[in-house]
Amino acid sequence: MINLPAPQARNSGVSYDGRPACCGNNNCFPVCPIAAKYDAATALPKIEAKGGKILANAVVYRIETGDKNAIEAVHFFDPDKQSHRVTGRLFVIACNGIETPKLLLLSKNERNPNGVANSSDQVGRNMMDQPKLTAELELEEPLWTGVGPVQSSSILNTTQGDFRGRHAGAMFRMENFARSPLGAAAALKKGLVGKALDAEIRRLSACTARLTVEHEILPSANNRLTLSTQKDWLGINKPNIYYDVGDYVRQSAKEYTVPRLRRLAAELGATKFQLSPEFLNSDHIMGGCIMGTEPATAVVDPDCRAHDHANLFLPGGGAMPSATASNSTLTMTALALKAADAIVVQLRHG
């Protein structure tokens, strides 16, 4: 098991693109407080500088198609629930693996009875995440996690091997967040007060840790998003999702990843080991608008262009036809850049 630096889109050691280097705030999520770690807000001023217009709190609820089934407009609600219509030559829906397929399904019409871009019946299907297990440890000696970024390195060689014919590969890491809030809560539950409480908070903050393992998952047409009959405050259908990690992942946990978690815990000198009772979500949504060369079995082509509508692009994690145990953000970014190149060519040549 080899520990390697994990890609985080974070400036390490030097500033870049107007963003400073990481200073170890240990507060990376949901956004870095000094913007050393990239997030979408970094791109917004650049979009506006090039003439783009950002509409805050605008919720698109329908994609409109024309006589030749090209996309003609999108309809959105403003914060006052007033509807607006925006036309264009080319449209990009980049709402990732949940909101993109939901919007496509919401937009069904006579020409597209199963939803926009859904002649393949694949919109909403093959939804994937990285099923996660965590192990909470108590250690003999203090470790004091919480210095530096929350995530810095991972064991990645466990994602590859001939074993993947039997069960999933997986990525292992130790979480580096500060343990003091968890230590305080656990110490208070013991009914301690005064110096005894202070000492136990310090001990639990220093001598506890969390190991995490994230598994790859196989795409399955049964793991899918459909429209719920329940609606949000705007009157838009909420998503309804069926999701099962599958036997490929469960077998990996049984014979591969949990035994390795226990081994890592033992080598760290753990005196207690508590495994999460079920798989947890990692919030790295993939699938739902999968990529492929055949219109009958895929939603978009290799450039993230919808097979059914030549002027509609659906870049991001939704286009990924398979998952990985490693974080998917950089792959999503690569797909967006690839789509952007195709969009430029299409706009230039009509």
Side-chain angles (χ1 to χ4, degrees):
M1 300 175 77
I2 303 171
N3 199 37
L4 298 170
Q8 294 286 317
R10 180 193 300 114
N11 291 342
S12 300
V14 295
S15 60
Y16 174 74
D17 199 25
R19 296 183 290 119
C22 174
C23 66
N25 277 310
N26 200 245
N27 188 22
C28 307
F29 306 107
V31 294
C32 171
I34 63 169
K37 184 174 183 288
Y38 176 85
D39 65 80
T42 303
L44 299 183
K46 297 179 182 180
I47 293 172
E48 291 180 314
K50 291 182 178 294
K53 185 176 181 180
I54 310 298
L55 299 177
N57 299 313
V59 180
V60 176
Y61 64 90
R62 184 163 72 89
I63 304 169
E64 178 185 331
T65 62
D67 292 337
K68 296 182 180 180
N69 215 25
I71 307 302
E72 289 195 347
V74 294
H75 298 252
F76 73 90
F77 288 126
D78 65 21
D80 296 321
K81 204 179 176 181
Q82 298 298 309
S83 182
H84 303 265
R85 182 176 181 265
V86 179
T87 60
R89 289 173 54 195
L90 190 147
F91 296 81
V92 179
I93 306 297
C95 308
N96 211 28
I98 292 180
E99 292 299 317
T100 292
K102 188 187 86 167
L103 179 57
L104 296 173
L105 294 174
L106 282 168
S107 302
K108 67 180 181 179
N109 53 39
E110 290 183 2
R111 301 179 196 88
N112 305 278
N114 293 323
V116 165
N118 197 26
S119 64
S120 63
D121 192 34
Q122 293 301 306
V123 168
R125 295 185 184 273
N126 302 292
M127 298 203 70
M128 298 169 282
D129 190 11
Q130 292 158 316
K132 177 171 67 177
L133 292 172
T134 62
E136 298 290 341
L137 312 181
E138 282 196 25
L139 311 171
E140 289 184 352
E141 299 182 2
L143 189 61
W144 285 115
T145 59
V147 179
V150 173
Q151 295 178 12
S152 56
S153 60
S154 302
I155 297 172
L156 293 171
N157 62 308
T158 48
T159 65
Q160 304 297 318
D162 293 339
F163 60 82
R164 292 174 69 217
R166 305 187 309 276
H167 60 70
M171 173 183 70
F172 293 80
R173 68 170 180 268
M174 175 180 283
E175 307 290 1
N176 189 41
F177 61 84
R179 303 286 300 184
S180 47
L182 296 175
L188 286 168
K189 285 183 179 180
K190 296 181 179 182
L192 301 174
V193 296
K195 292 183 178 180
L197 175 61
D198 181 69
E200 185 65 357
I201 291 174
R202 290 176 181 275
R203 185 188 74 82
L204 292 175
S205 300
C207 298
T208 58
R210 176 183 294 172
L211 299 177
T212 296
V213 56
E214 295 185 3
H215 304 77
E216 65 174 328
I217 186 174
L218 295 178
S220 170
N222 293 324
N223 284 346
R224 67 182 300 196
L225 177 149
T226 56
L227 298 178
S228 172
T229 56
Q230 298 182 17
K231 297 186 178 182
D232 62 21
W233 72 278
L234 289 170
I236 301 173
N237 297 77
K238 296 180 179 181
N240 183 71
I241 298 172
Y242 173 84
Y243 180 74
D244 176 35
V245 301
D247 291 339
Y248 187 67
V249 171
R250 284 188 281 267
Q251 188 65 23
S252 180
K254 179 180 178 180
E255 67 176 83
Y256 187 64
T257 60
V258 172
R260 279 164 173 76
L261 281 177
R262 294 187 182 278
R263 174 184 165 190
L264 284 169
E267 292 180 355
L268 285 167
T271 57
K272 291 185 179 180
F273 178 97
Q274 182 177 351
L275 185 70
S276 54
E278 59 185 3
F279 289 100
L280 308 170
N281 54 295
S282 297
D283 301 329
H284 302 148
I285 307 300
M286 298 160 279
C289 300
I290 62 169
M291 175 189 295
T293 57
E294 297 297 327
T297 57
V299 179
V300 299
D301 69 12
D303 289 324
C304 297
R305 181 190 293 105
H307 284 298
D308 296 349
H309 315 278
N311 67 334
L312 175 64
F313 285 79
L314 307 171
M320 293 176 65
S322 60
T324 173
S326 302
N327 290 6
S328 54
T329 304
L330 296 185
T331 302
M332 296 178 191
T333 303
L335 290 173
L337 294 172
K338 193 172 190 299
D341 289 341
I343 289 168
V344 170
V345 171
Q346 186 164 320
L347 287 174
R348 284 177 177 171
H349 299 287

